[in-house]
Amino acid sequence: MSILRFRTSRPALPQVAIAAVTRACILASSVFNKLVKNETLTKDDKSPVTVADYSAQAVINTILSRTYNDDLIVGEEDAGDLRATSASPLRNRIVDLANEALTAELRPGERADWGVGPGSALTADQLLSAIDRGNYAGGRTGRMWTLDPIDGTKGFLRGEQYAVCLALIINARVELGVIGCPNLPVSAADPSGPRGCIFVAVRGQGAAQVPLTDPFTSTPTPISIPTFTQENLNLLESVEKAHAKLSFNERVAQILGITRPPTRMDSQAKYCSLARGDGAVYLRMPTGVGYKEKIWDHAPGSLLVEEAGGIVSDSRGEPLDFGLGRTLGENFGVIAAGKDIHSKVLDAVKRVKEEEAKGQSMFK
Ligand SMILES: Nc1ncnc2c1ncn2[C@@H]1O[C@H](COP(=O)(O)O)[C@@H](O)[C@H]1OP(=O)(O)O
Ligand SMILES: [Mg+2]
Ligand SMILES: [Mg+2]
Ligand SMILES: [Mg+2]
């Protein structure tokens, strides 16, 4: 805790991070209904990015920089494509959205010294520079934030799950994680009930959930991974077939005798669902095309699960290494589950890999 509080004159970290994530969530959900086709670009790796991704990164980086102005940020997006003259309609929309989110009235319990609330609008240059503050390369030592302004952009575009994800990393260890899930039901037991959750984990202090509608004055609900009966065991997995090998999951489920169908959802909402017991195992098997996982796709989610009493490893059982730069390097895939289940899943994963290797050698 001493590291988290070493700047005693500044506001407490979780509140600033929660305010930043909350404002980005409200921005993203308001954009969804009004999004038009030319407000989405396709990046070099063929993945989509929308005005919501860019504006959310501008908002969160601006808030972090106002309060912790020497902190480094490893963010997913960069403003390169927005600087072209042809991008001016997109740029103007991002400037409007980001300013609206930054200057919106304070909510109950929210404070102006967290770098939010009514004030003068920022210029396009200031906001593009804020986006580009996310260009830090990461590394083994020092203090840095990692941000995925919209994780699960494809889910966002489908009107399904997505998440605004922010984590503080100190010397390659995740110390704080905040994830906002605007479309996630507050209670999985009431799927058609109110939606919008913020999840918070502080290393050594546990994990909790607050409603997106009132994150500052409502009492946080502590969350932890329950014990699952065999009948209740199930897998949490990706929707997008290109992101994880779902046929592998099917075989693992068979070996583990899992009968409950998998829950498919986009984004780190999977880690959140696991942390509060909506599903038992998050299994993300590499597709085999050499994709390197990014630190912003796992940093807050992995701390949330650990603080909820679970274990997170890659698909070989190795701990995730957040000290290698912007990617997780040789950490391929993810196995996240409660302490009692993780080793069983890992054994099943190893068995399926052996089966696959044998199957391949038969055809050599
Ligand atoms: N080939 C891939 N393998 C694994 N993950 C991927 C791949 N391509 C993109 N991703 C990332 O998976 C994340 C969402 O995964 P899911 O919702 O299935 O859990 C996104 O952050 C996305 O990155 P990006 O943000 O660059 O699109
Ligand atoms: Mg993306
Ligand atoms: Mg993203
Ligand atoms: Mg992502």
Side-chain angles (χ1 to χ4, degrees):
M1 203 51 206
S2 56
I3 305 177
L4 285 174
R5 287 216 175 125
F6 75 93
R7 292 167 167 146
T8 46
S9 59
R10 303 195 193 182
L13 273 159
Q15 278 82 351
V16 174
I18 295 168
V21 167
T22 300
R23 284 180 178 248
C25 283
I26 294 167
L27 180 163
S29 42
S30 80
V31 167
F32 174 71
N33 294 320
K34 299 175 239 154
L35 197 71
V36 295
K37 217 171 171 201
N38 62 6
E39 291 181 341
T40 302
L41 293 180
T42 303
K43 296 201 281 191
D44 291 344
D45 63 2
K46 308 277 186 284
S47 64
V49 56
T50 74
V51 286
D53 301 59
Y54 287 121
S55 323
Q57 180 152 326
V59 166
I60 293 177
N61 284 3
T62 298
I63 295 170
L64 292 179
S65 305
R66 282 174 176 167
T67 318
Y68 309 105
N69 61 1
D70 43 0
D71 276 359
L72 299 160
I73 306 172
V74 180
E76 182 185 357
E77 310 302 346
D78 74 83
D81 290 342
L82 301 177
R83 294 184 194 276
T85 319
S86 59
S88 74
L90 202 67
R91 196 165 56 229
N92 294 341
R93 178 94 159 101
I94 290 162
V95 169
D96 289 349
L97 286 167
N99 276 317
E100 205 180 301
L102 285 164
T103 60
E105 291 296 328
L106 296 176
R107 317 178 91 203
E110 200 179 24
R111 287 174 26 189
D113 67 344
W114 298 348
V116 294
S120 44
L122 300 181
T123 63
D125 271 351
Q126 286 171 316
L127 290 165
L128 296 192
S129 302
I131 293 173
D132 279 340
R133 281 205 61 161
N135 65 7
Y136 183 55
R140 177 76 43 209
T141 54
R143 172 184 155 115
M144 66 196 78
W145 296 87
T146 189
L147 169 66
D148 192 337
I150 297 211
D151 180 35
T153 306
K154 289 182 178 164
F156 169 72
L157 289 167
R158 278 189 252 103
E160 296 173 12
Q161 293 307 322
Y162 66 96
V164 176
C165 303
L166 179 63
L168 177 68
I169 298 175
I170 299 171
N171 297 334
R173 229 165 60 132
V174 186
E175 296 290 344
L176 165 70
V178 178
I179 302 181
C181 302
N183 286 343
L184 197 69
V186 169
S187 164
D190 184 12
S192 48
R195 281 163 190 259
C197 316
I198 302 271
F199 294 87
V200 186
V202 179
R203 183 170 290 279
Q205 294 182 35
Q209 174 181 334
V210 286
L212 178 58
T213 47
D214 182 19
F216 308 112
T217 60
S218 66
T219 309
T221 308
I223 54 172
S224 59
I225 299 180
T227 307
F228 283 83
T229 61
Q230 182 65 33
E231 299 73 59
N232 280 336
L233 271 185
N234 82 331
L235 298 186
L236 290 155
E237 52 191 33
S238 291
V239 175
E240 293 293 331
K241 293 192 171 50
H243 295 176
K245 195 172 169 188
L246 299 182
S247 56
F248 194 105
N249 286 21
E250 231 176 283
R251 180 68 187 125
V252 169
Q254 203 178 33
I255 289 172
L256 293 172
I258 293 177
T259 49
R260 200 177 141 201
T263 305
R264 292 194 174 145
M265 63 174 77
D266 302 277
S267 83
Q268 286 178 73
K270 289 187 280 299
Y271 281 112
C272 304
S273 297
L274 174 67
R276 69 179 189 186
D278 302 352
V281 180
Y282 172 16
L283 185 56
R284 182 185 194 84
M285 291 307 297
T287 52
V289 292
Y291 176 81
K292 290 202 166 162
E293 299 284 350
K294 310 298 188 297
I295 63 169
W296 53 79
D297 281 326
H298 301 284
S302 62
L303 182 64
L304 190 74
V305 166
E306 285 171 7
E307 286 299 322
I311 297 178
V312 181
S313 72
D314 77 356
S315 56
R316 302 163 308 169
E318 299 295 323
L320 301 187
D321 186 350
F322 292 99
L324 293 171
R326 291 173 69 87
T327 78
L328 287 170
E330 299 302 307
N331 284 138
F332 294 111
V334 167
I335 303 172
K339 287 201 171 89
D340 50 337
I341 309 175
H342 186 275
S343 61
K344 292 182 189 139
V345 181
L346 180 56
D347 287 345
V349 166
K350 285 181 179 159
R351 199 172 133 190
V352 181
K353 278 190 196 161
E354 283 164 16
E355 288 175 1
E356 283 193 341
K358 270 189 208 145
Q360 276 162 7
S361 65
M362 274 168 56
F363 294 101
K364 272 188 186 153

